[in-house]
Amino acid sequence: EGFTLGEQCELRDVQETANTVKVRGQDLRSDEVLQHIEVGKQITKLELHWREAIDFIIGDDLVVRRLRFRDELLEQLDKQDDEKARFDQEFGFMTMELSRFITELVAAFGGVSD
């Protein structure tokens, strides 16, 4: 919940690591992409969106790459004339969103074991 598919992924054949398919700008639920999965390719990188606030790519090593706050998220903030006040406001807001994001991402992958 809260996560939606983007339009990028990387699929790799587990037998032949040089056999890689990179998909960009395409519906990841398309028959073409699903056929690659059906023949045994595994997703090694996947673009996801979180709550229409953050876009990112997650790898099969669970490393988050290319994390980007969406412009719509920052547009919700009151515009501050003072640069320092604007920075403080954006930093605080991004920190809160990032904290929520990390909590939900960890939970989506099974949480933290003790």
Side-chain angles (χ1 to χ4, degrees):
E1 187 177 324
F3 294 93
T4 56
L5 285 176
E7 295 181 336
Q8 292 184 55
C9 75
E10 184 175 294
L11 302 141
R12 184 171 295 144
D13 188 325
V14 293
Q15 303 300 323
E16 295 181 42
T17 56
N19 187 345
T20 302
V21 175
K22 294 182 181 184
V23 178
R24 291 176 190 248
Q26 185 172 339
D27 180 6
L28 298 182
R29 292 182 184 99
S30 71
D31 289 340
E32 183 180 353
V33 174
L34 294 175
Q35 285 175 353
H36 285 294
I37 294 170
E38 288 172 7
V39 296
K41 287 188 176 63
Q42 293 184 350
I43 298 172
T44 56
K45 293 181 183 172
L46 180 64
E47 180 187 30
L48 294 170
H49 308 294
W50 176 74
R51 301 200 180 277
E52 298 182 14
I54 295 177
D55 300 334
F56 64 100
I57 302 221
I58 191 158
D60 58 352
D61 54 2
L62 299 181
V63 171
V64 173
R65 294 173 175 87
R66 288 196 254 163
L67 184 130
R68 185 179 71 82
F69 289 90
R70 297 182 92 172
D71 293 336
E72 298 86 3
L73 180 71
L74 298 176
E75 288 172 2
Q76 297 173 17
L77 299 174
D78 295 330
K79 300 297 179 204
Q80 299 289 324
D81 292 331
D82 180 9
E83 235 178 88
K84 184 176 186 276
R86 184 174 49 246
F87 175 82
D88 288 345
Q89 182 185 40
E90 288 179 3
F91 185 79
F93 188 70
M94 287 182 190
T95 301
M96 287 186 333
E97 287 297 300
L98 196 54
S99 177
R100 289 180 47 219
F101 165 73
I102 291 169
T103 299
E104 289 189 25
L105 184 64
V106 169
F109 284 97
V112 178
S113 60
D114 295 328

